[in-house]
Amino acid sequence: MKTFNLLLSSINDVKDFVNIVSKYDFDVDLTSGRYVVDAKSIMGIFSLDLSKPIKVEVHSDECEKFMEELDKFIIK
C-alpha cells in the first residue's frame, strides 16, 4: 500500500483525477478528516473539503505509472 497527500483545487482537477484513477484496477481511497471515499467516485470526492490536502491510500504495490500520472496533484 502507498500513501501520499494531494490537492485538487478545481473542478477540472477532480475530473482529471477521477479519469486517471478509473483506468486502474486496484482500489484507491481518499481520506479527509474522518471521511473516507472511493477515489473513483466523483460525487464522493465533492463531499470532501477540497480546500485542504487529501490523504490518498493506494491498495497496490505496483503503482509507479499511476503515481507518475498523478504527479501534478501530489504535494511534495
Side-chain angles (χ1 to χ4, degrees):
M1 183 162 63
K2 188 102 166 140
T3 303
F4 56 92
N5 289 319
L6 57 76
L7 192 59
L8 301 171
S9 50
S10 72
I11 292 170
N12 284 333
D13 283 354
V14 173
K15 189 170 69 170
D16 292 346
F17 175 78
V18 171
N19 286 337
I20 292 169
V21 174
S22 295
K23 294 191 292 186
Y24 294 89
D25 290 335
F26 47 78
D27 289 332
V28 180
D29 292 329
L30 300 180
T31 306
S32 178
R34 62 187 179 140
Y35 298 102
V36 179
V37 298
D38 183 349
K40 296 176 183 176
S41 167
I42 198 162
M43 293 304 290
I45 294 172
F46 281 121
S47 72
L48 300 176
D49 181 0
L50 298 177
S51 66
K52 299 176 183 168
I54 299 168
K55 180 180 166 190
V56 181
E57 291 182 0
V58 181
H59 298 277
S60 173
D61 293 326
E62 308 285 324
C63 59
E64 291 77 26
K65 185 166 173 27
F66 175 69
M67 297 290 292
E68 288 173 18
E69 288 193 66
L70 292 181
D71 191 55
K72 64 182 177 180
F73 304 118
I74 295 173
I75 298 172
K76 297 178 176 121

